[in-house]
Amino acid sequence: MKFEDTVSHLLSRVATAHKAHLEKRLAAVGLHGGQLSVLFELWRRDGRRQVDLAREIGLATPTVNKILGGMIEVGLVDRTRLEDDARATRIYLTDEGHAMRAKVEEVWLEVEEELLSEFTESERLILFSLLTKVRNYYFGVDPDQVDD
Amino acid sequence: MKFEDTVSHLLSRVATAHKAHLEKRLAAVGLHGGQLSVLFELWRRDGRRQVDLAREIGLATPTVNKILGGMIEVGLVDRTRLEDDARATRIYLTDEGHAMRAKVEEVWLEVEEELLSEFTESERLILFSLLTKVRNYYFGVDPDQVDD
DNA sequence: CAGTTATTATTAGCTCGCTAACTATCATTG
DNA sequence: CAATGATAGTTAGCGAGCTAATAATAACTG
């Protein structure tokens, strides 16, 4: 058989290339890829616990914990103990964490446009819809997709 | 803006989930994800130099070097110095490296079928073609795609 | 042919992803 | 209320990707 003819193989290859590419583009605003995935979630709503963030993002809790450690160091977020549960913490964006959003939006639109520059409008929509289907295979259907 | 509505974001999420999933499935045959990407290339043709493998796979040479170190340890490949160039090495599959192919094919077909179980035949073809377009954006058009 | 430049492999060190194992705390139940 | 079990965060350690820097060798050039 030809492994090259499978979607899985193609997806793996594209995945690593895309991640490496993102990392390079994010360096311009002083971010790492993992930090961004956490920021995406915090920009939706901050003040949540690490375990909740991890579940939403789809990462293991130690991964999120490590990324947050780096983000605290560079001053993007704060970690405060929960008042009524001494086990848990709440993660809040700092002013810098909020301010980062504008910078990232700029880069993000560029990255998206460059990636899809050779795609027609309908190809973009189809790719988005098929990738959503793959995402649903791994994460289940996103409830936020319906309303909101 | 909503980052969730971009292909880049979707691709990042799907990418990590897919890689994590592959890693789990490959554990059944005793392989790691990085080893597999090298094997894919060696199964096409072995006896090449590390730098050539890295270029074809689309990885940095230190990455390939590290992966090969692990593969040599577990006996999947051999590394021999080049006769006419003392800098370079040639990477050859061992018998075990060749034999691994059959095991991987089995797993691979399963993974592919499960991933695409909810996709129609035409959706599969379209997804493959659109992902190929993304790959070409990152790697350029593959010359092997034409003939062979 | 001596000196510079380019290439190959490698090492070191970083982020990111994981699992396993540990600690502290909460919740439950006897 | 004491013991057991569940939960939150963390630490340790692994593989995979990267860049930067080294060492050894080849190739080119004056």
Side-chain angles (χ1 to χ4, degrees), chain A residues 98-110:
Chain A
H98 281 292
M100 188 61 81
R101 178 160 186 160
K103 296 187 206 171
V104 170
E105 283 196 3
E106 213 172 313
V107 174
W108 203 251
L109 289 175
E110 278 178 30

Side-chain angles (χ1 to χ4, degrees), chain A residues 78-96:
Chain A
D78 281 328
R79 180 155 46 192
T80 62
R81 280 283 152 194
L82 235 164
E83 54 290 343
D84 56 340
D85 188 341
R87 294 171 300 182
T89 57
R90 285 195 192 281
I91 306 298
Y92 290 99
L93 287 162
T94 61
D95 290 345
E96 195 181 341

Side-chain angles (χ1 to χ4, degrees), chain A residues 36-103:
Chain A
L36 188 60
S37 56
V38 172
L39 281 177
F40 280 150
E41 200 56 39
L42 289 174
W43 286 335
R44 292 182 62 186
R45 180 162 39 96
D46 68 342
R48 278 183 285 177
R49 305 177 306 164
Q50 296 187 38
V51 65
D52 295 326
L53 289 175
R55 183 170 20 77
E56 289 299 319
I57 304 172
L59 296 177
T61 51
T63 301
V64 172
N65 182 266
K66 199 196 295 185
I67 293 172
L68 284 172
M71 293 175 77
I72 292 171
E73 271 188 14
V74 298
L76 288 168
V77 298
D78 281 328
R79 180 155 46 192
T80 62
R81 280 283 152 194
L82 235 164
E83 54 290 343
D84 56 340
D85 188 341
R87 294 171 300 182
T89 57
R90 285 195 192 281
I91 306 298
Y92 290 99
L93 287 162
T94 61
D95 290 345
E96 195 181 341
H98 281 292
M100 188 61 81
R101 178 160 186 160
K103 296 187 206 171

Side-chain angles (χ1 to χ4, degrees), chain B residues 60-111:
Chain B
T61 51
T63 302
V64 172
N65 182 266
K66 199 195 294 184
I67 293 173
L68 284 172
M71 294 175 76
I72 292 170
E73 271 188 14
V74 298
L76 289 169
V77 298
D78 282 330
R79 181 156 45 193
T80 63
R81 281 282 152 194
L82 235 163
E83 55 288 342
D84 56 339
D85 188 340
R87 293 171 300 182
T89 58
R90 285 194 192 281
I91 306 298
Y92 290 99
L93 287 162
T94 61
D95 290 344
E96 195 180 341
H98 282 291
M100 189 60 81
R101 178 160 185 160
K103 297 187 205 169
V104 170
E105 284 196 3
E106 214 170 313
V107 175
W108 203 250
L109 289 175
E110 278 179 29
V111 168

